[in-house]
Amino acid sequence: MKEDLKDGISRRKFVQAGGMIAATAVIPAKVVNGAEKQAESTVNIPEDDYLQYIDPTIGNIAPLLNTNRPVVHLPNQMVRTHPRRQDYLDDQVSGFTLLSLNVITPQVIFSVRPAKGPITDADWNERLTYDHDLEITRPWYYATTLIEKDIRVEHTVSNKGGIYRFRFPKDVEKHVLLTHCYDNGLYSIDTDNSVTGTEFVIDSIHAQKGKAYMYGTFSGKPAGTKSEGDKDWGKYTVQGALATPKMMNGEKVAMSYAKNDPDVIEFRFGVSFISPEQAKKNHDKELAGITFDQLAAKGKAVWQKVINQIKVEGGTVSQKRTFYTALYRSYVRMVNITEDGQYFSGYDNKVHDDKRNIYTDDYTWGDYIAQHPLRAILNPQQEGDMLQSYVNMYEQSGWMPEYPKVFGDRPGMFGFYSSVMFLDAYRKGIKNFDTKKALEGMVKNAEQATMLASTNGPKGALEDFYYEKGYYPALHPGEAESDPVAKAHHSARSAVAVTLAASYNDWAVSELAKELGNIPVHLKFAPRAKNYKNLWSRDKVLFMPKDDKGEWVDIDPKTQGQSYYNENNGYTYKWGVTHDIEGLIELMGGKDKFEQELDQFFREGLGSSRATFYSKFPDMTGLIGQFAMGNQCSFQIPFLFNYTGSPWKTQKWTRFILDVYFNDTVLGVPGDEDGGSMSSVVVFSAMGFFPLKPGSPVYTITSPVFSKVSIDLPNGKVFTLLANGSSKTKKYIQSATMNGKKLDSMWFSHDDLVNGGTLVLEMGEMPLRA
């Protein structure tokens, strides 16, 4: 391994060596407690191998809420696995997963674990202690040592399957145990070394209900097999090879090996949402005739192709580690659920034939901001497939989904941001989806669906009020909920947040209708794009709630929020008019006042102790004044200075935010990363441009952390950004050219990018003032 001590920061690097995957850590390692790890260099890694910078443990300790996990998967593929533990601070695991419906919460399906010696009841539920320093995490490979058992666990994946490899100590009875994560499933032992499993997913929290299937094979010839049918595990020891394979059903399965059997046992599995038979087909198709190390090398090659699509020069090792880890995380969803030209849809509970790839697992409220725009650049064909998947789900269920999962649309957050995604893609030349059917679904959601947060279903009286009055009505503090739909779903109205989101979403409906020549729909929805103005308070200089009589609801917008805003307070939602920043500037009294308000936003106090503030707004982590980098509502705010006469403040704040809140340690992510949502923002910010207004095919410019960024585009062209003289202190843009022509604004078009343009920035230590 090549030792690289730039900035005193180390990284793990993984190579194929002697048929084994080796992990080597550079010393000294930058760790939270200042301790140093030692390892020996084994091989040089080329400078252009950008995989070396990915560290899936970055951000594995969350500030407050959901944490990142070291997810093993291939880009946008169905199998996503990780050790079953709380977070990086947890030194024990409950097992190792075969499949995940949601890597954030998380929702995992099927679990495997090793055991040795006579099996006891404790072996099924005992938490297994591991050593952090013996853990290896790569996008395509995971390994750890269970130090109290002296068992080494290794894992690698394919699209619809994977392999676990267990290394046991010598001269012990060896077992591989299969359980269910939902404690609700069935395994059947098919032969002396194969098993079929079904897990019944019943998750009321995530409104998910369905079945997943697996088929697995074990290496060698197990000396014994056992299912839950006989719970007397304490008396169970290996009796010798089974003469005749016997079918046994149960919630748990043990595959056992004698002391003189090989010490290395492999468990290969395929998974499916279609059937047990399809799980076996996936197993056979992806795992037959390939060794563990060959599969790992194949996975590495897949990652190398997508990660090397963006090449950077300059910056520190820490910045590269942060950047490429963020890029890796942007591929964790959506996931391809197509299995041999078929897929199961939880929207009509049927199996469908389809020649194109079908995707699910998304979160439009957060992913429309940067994750989908990033994919529109890197893989527009795939983005079109994903949007067509939305259309399919609409045709199958009657509603355009907003939080699509395998088993249906999860009620999540608020707004119909799929409309923004459709418009953004269309205006960037991505049209390989049924645009008319997409618009039909957008209109149906906008006219017939409930707008209540975290609620799915048809509209009610609150929506009819909105259509007539142009704002969502709020309750006064302490006032009992009277709306039957809100009462039935225990939903907060989030009246301000819902109104702002609807304004943006309706703008997208109007604009796509115009693009498609549907003038009646365009004219109907265009005025609704201005509804945000109905909640603007000139006195508060904020968006404030109104009741159903049109009277202001008197609240403190800094400390009272969840019932009126959502996850953030009124100071954050003050900037929530992404589709009409010019209109927001007018509301505030012009550009100078707009800039002054932005300045104060980053300096405004919390109005309470930090503990009290977080007890009310736990999502608002990564604070700078009232700005909260830890939540999606704030992602666009630092870039708004580009609408003022001081765009250098965007350059100042985006650099500062990356430096302070994103680093290459387990504490290096400031909030709920949400499956690539936040990471995609980091990717754009570090490159020096950002899709500030999704739905419009333009990018706004900021200060890149690298001196050169090259993006290999699918059309064979290369977009290049050069930041001449860029350094930690030289972060301010002095001048800019696109293809040799001077830029008079902080914007460039999507066409400039996909046509292989060259953006050149001259950097300096002092801001360029108007």
Side-chain angles (χ1 to χ4, degrees):
M1 184 195 74
K2 176 184 174 182
E3 182 167 335
D4 189 339
L5 299 180
K6 292 180 182 178
D7 307 308
I9 297 169
S10 70
R11 54 185 176 268
R12 290 177 172 178
K13 299 172 181 168
F14 300 79
V15 296
Q16 291 292 122
M20 297 284 295
I21 294 210
T24 51
V26 181
I27 306 308
K30 181 180 179 181
V31 292
V32 175
N33 62 5
E36 294 183 356
K37 306 174 185 177
Q38 291 190 349
E40 185 177 349
S41 295
T42 60
V43 68
N44 289 330
I45 294 180
E47 281 297 327
D48 61 354
D49 180 10
Y50 297 102
L51 289 180
Q52 66 179 298
Y53 297 114
I54 298 175
D55 183 353
T57 68
I58 289 175
N60 278 196
I61 300 174
L64 284 179
L65 301 177
N66 296 323
T67 190
N68 287 305
R69 302 179 190 280
V71 181
V72 180
H73 67 110
L74 299 183
N76 299 112
Q77 292 299 335
M78 195 166 84
V79 168
R80 298 170 296 179
T81 66
H82 53 78
R84 294 180 65 190
R85 64 190 183 200
Q86 295 299 313
D87 60 19
Y88 192 79
L89 295 175
D90 190 351
D91 74 331
Q92 294 182 313
V93 298
S94 300
F96 304 92
T97 63
L98 274 60
L99 186 63
S100 179
L101 292 177
N102 186 337
V103 298
I104 304 161
T105 314
Q107 292 170 275
V108 292
I109 303 177
F110 303 115
S111 185
V112 64
R113 58 160 57 205
K116 67 178 184 178
I119 301 179
T120 68
D121 288 340
D123 286 309
W124 296 96
N125 300 310
E126 177 188 15
R127 303 207 71 219
L128 306 171
T129 303
Y130 70 98
D131 189 319
H132 291 85
D133 295 327
L134 299 178
E135 185 178 59
I136 299 171
T137 58
R138 303 302 289 146
W140 63 92
Y141 172 83
Y142 174 84
T144 192
T145 296
L146 307 177
I147 56 176
E148 293 180 338
K149 305 290 185 181
D150 192 20
I151 299 174
R152 185 68 172 168
V153 180
E154 295 178 278
H155 176 50
T156 191
V157 297
S158 61
N159 293 341
K160 305 291 189 297
I163 306 175
Y164 277 97
R165 181 161 64 185
F166 304 101
R167 297 178 180 274
F168 292 86
K170 294 184 179 301
D171 300 322
V172 299
E173 294 177 5
K174 298 164 280 286
H175 315 278
V176 178
L177 312 180
L178 291 173
T179 61
H180 293 282
C181 299
Y182 283 92
D183 293 326
N184 189 14
L186 192 68
Y187 286 112
S188 62
I189 300 173
D190 303 325
T191 67
D192 58 354
N193 74 334
S194 67
V195 61
T196 298
T198 301
E199 183 141 353
F200 301 93
V201 180
I202 303 175
D203 191 335
S204 59
I205 295 176
H206 301 93
Q208 298 286 289
K209 184 177 180 180
K211 291 189 288 188
Y213 309 95
M214 62 79 62
Y215 173 82
T217 57
F218 298 80
S219 60
K221 194 174 183 65
T225 59
K226 196 73 172 176
S227 77
E228 177 73 353
D230 181 357
K231 296 184 178 180
D232 193 6
W233 298 104
K235 296 180 180 179
Y236 174 54
T237 57
V238 176
Q239 301 295 326
L242 293 178
T244 303
K246 182 180 179 182
M247 174 70 75
M248 294 181 291
N249 293 330
E251 294 181 357
K252 302 173 182 177
V253 161
M255 288 287 184
S256 301
Y257 296 77
K259 292 181 180 180
N260 59 354
D261 282 331
D263 299 327
V264 178
I265 299 172
E266 284 189 358
F267 168 57
R268 296 167 174 251
F269 67 91
V271 295
S272 173
F273 292 114
I274 294 176
S275 67
E277 294 76 17
Q278 185 61 50
K280 184 179 186 303
K281 289 180 182 179
N282 295 340
H283 168 282
D284 296 346
K285 177 182 179 180
E286 298 183 357
L287 303 179
I290 191 170
T291 68
F292 182 101
D293 296 326
Q294 288 170 341
L295 185 64
K298 187 176 180 180
K300 178 180 179 179
V302 171
W303 274 109
Q304 204 153 26
K305 181 178 180 181
V306 299
I307 294 299
N308 285 2
Q309 195 175 348
I310 304 180
K311 302 176 177 65
V312 302
E313 297 178 16
T316 66
V317 171
S318 178
Q319 288 169 332
K320 289 177 180 175
R321 279 167 50 83
T322 297
F323 175 79
Y324 281 107
T325 301
L327 183 58
Y328 140 76
R329 289 206 169 106
S330 73
Y331 283 98
V332 78
R333 62 184 184 189
M334 304 172 74
V335 296
N336 183 350
I337 58 170
T338 303
E339 307 177 48
D340 285 340
Q342 294 182 307
Y343 70 97
F344 169 78
S345 171
Y347 294 81
D348 60 3
N349 293 314
K350 295 180 181 178
V351 175
H352 297 264
D353 295 322
D354 207 309
K355 294 182 179 179
R356 71 191 299 175
N357 290 326
I358 300 300
Y359 294 81
T360 191
D361 189 21
D362 206 5
Y363 184 28
T364 68
W365 180 78
D367 294 347
Y368 85 92
I369 301 168
Q371 196 165 10
H372 280 274
L374 181 61
R375 191 177 297 109
I377 295 171
L378 299 178
N379 196 336
Q381 174 65 45
Q382 185 184 61
E383 179 66 11
D385 287 342
M386 292 179 178
L387 294 177
Q388 183 58 43
S389 300
Y390 270 85
V391 173
N392 289 5
M393 289 182 269
Y394 161 64
E395 291 182 304
Q396 292 156 7
S397 69
W399 298 105
M400 188 66 74
E402 296 301 328
Y403 205 152
K405 313 294 279 184
V406 172
F407 300 120
D409 188 21
R410 173 187 171 184
M413 299 307 294
F414 56 89
F416 308 124
Y417 285 99
S418 59
S419 298
V420 180
M421 287 158 39
F422 284 120
L423 174 64
D424 191 62
Y426 188 89
R427 285 182 162 171
K428 291 174 179 175
I430 301 172
K431 301 178 181 179
N432 59 325
F433 61 94
D434 190 335
T435 55
K436 291 184 178 180
K437 187 63 69 172
L439 180 62
E440 177 187 301
M442 292 161 60
V443 171
K444 182 174 181 182
N445 276 20
E447 292 184 334
Q448 300 181 41
T450 180
M451 298 162 68
L452 283 166
S454 301
T455 307
N456 285 350
K459 70 181 180 68
L462 294 175
E463 285 70 41
D464 289 335
F465 183 96
Y466 178 83
Y467 304 150
E468 180 183 354
K469 302 294 185 181
Y471 69 92
Y472 216 61
L475 299 172
H476 289 267
E479 183 180 355
E481 180 59 74
S482 58
D483 181 78
V485 179
K487 288 174 66 176
H489 292 274
H490 306 285
S491 302
R493 293 191 182 185
S494 302
V496 177
V498 165
T499 299
L500 299 185
S503 301
Y504 189 5
N505 303 158
D506 287 345
W507 171 81
V509 173
S510 173
E511 291 295 298
L512 184 59
K514 182 172 65 174
E515 294 280 356
L516 298 180
N518 192 329
I519 302 306
V521 171
H522 165 63
L523 294 177
K524 178 177 181 177
F525 281 89
R528 286 168 55 164
K530 303 294 185 180
N531 280 348
Y532 70 90
K533 295 183 179 182
N534 295 327
L535 294 184
W536 181 254
S537 169
R538 294 180 180 272
D539 294 336
K540 300 282 189 179
V541 197
L542 290 166
F543 293 106
M544 294 289 290
K546 285 182 179 178
D547 64 18
D548 56 6
K549 299 177 181 61
E551 300 295 327
W552 295 112
V553 176
D554 186 19
I555 62 166
D556 179 355
K558 185 182 288 187
T559 62
Q560 293 174 285
Q562 294 291 19
S563 297
Y564 304 99
Y565 305 99
N566 197 298
E567 292 195 351
N568 287 246
N569 64 15
Y571 281 72
T572 299
Y573 279 92
K574 176 176 184 170
W575 312 100
V577 191
T578 306
H579 66 292
D580 189 16
I581 299 300
E582 295 84 357
L584 182 61
I585 291 173
E586 183 179 346
L587 287 179
M588 289 192 190
K591 286 188 177 182
D592 290 344
K593 179 63 174 175
F594 183 77
E595 182 179 343
Q596 292 169 16
E597 293 292 328
L598 269 174
D599 284 336
Q600 185 57 33
F601 177 70
F602 283 92
R603 297 163 183 162
E604 182 72 27
L606 297 182
S608 66
S609 69
R610 190 170 289 251
T612 299
F613 187 84
Y614 279 143
S615 71
K616 297 179 179 180
F617 298 102
D619 297 276
M620 289 185 65
T621 51
L623 285 167
I624 305 173
Q626 286 290 319
F627 171 77
M629 186 61 218
N631 193 261
Q632 288 87 339
C633 296
S634 296
F635 288 169
Q636 85 286 3
I637 296 174
F639 298 92
L640 295 179
F641 284 106
N642 280 355
Y643 280 92
T644 75
S646 302
W648 62 269
K649 293 179 181 178
T650 283
Q651 299 153 37
K652 168 192 168 182
W653 282 119
T654 57
R655 278 284 199 105
F656 183 80
I657 291 164
L658 290 176
D659 286 346
V660 170
Y661 279 122
F662 294 93
N663 56 68
D664 62 337
T665 73
V666 292
L667 296 171
V669 176
D672 190 348
E673 195 274 338
D674 265 340
S677 175
M678 185 183 298
S679 289
S680 301
V681 175
V682 172
V683 171
F684 274 116
S685 300
M687 290 194 298
F689 60 98
F690 186 75
L692 177 54
K693 188 178 179 180
S696 299
V698 294
Y699 304 94
T700 198
I701 302 170
T702 189
S703 178
V705 300
F706 306 110
S707 59
K708 183 178 180 180
V709 177
S710 302
I711 304 177
D712 295 335
L713 301 168
N715 61 11
K717 298 179 181 180
V718 179
F719 173 75
T720 304
L721 186 151
L722 298 171
N724 294 326
S726 177
S727 68
K728 183 174 180 61
T729 56
K730 291 185 177 180
K731 59 177 174 284
Y732 295 112
I733 299 171
Q734 308 298 301
S735 64
T737 62
M738 176 63 76
N739 298 327
K741 296 182 180 180
K742 182 180 178 181
L743 283 180
D744 294 323
S745 71
M746 301 303 295
W747 301 84
F748 65 92
S749 71
H750 183 72
D751 283 345
D752 290 331
L753 191 155
V754 297
N755 288 331
T758 298
L759 175 63
V760 179
L761 308 175
E762 300 296 334
M763 311 301 292
E765 289 189 350
M766 295 299 293
L768 184 67
R769 301 178 186 274

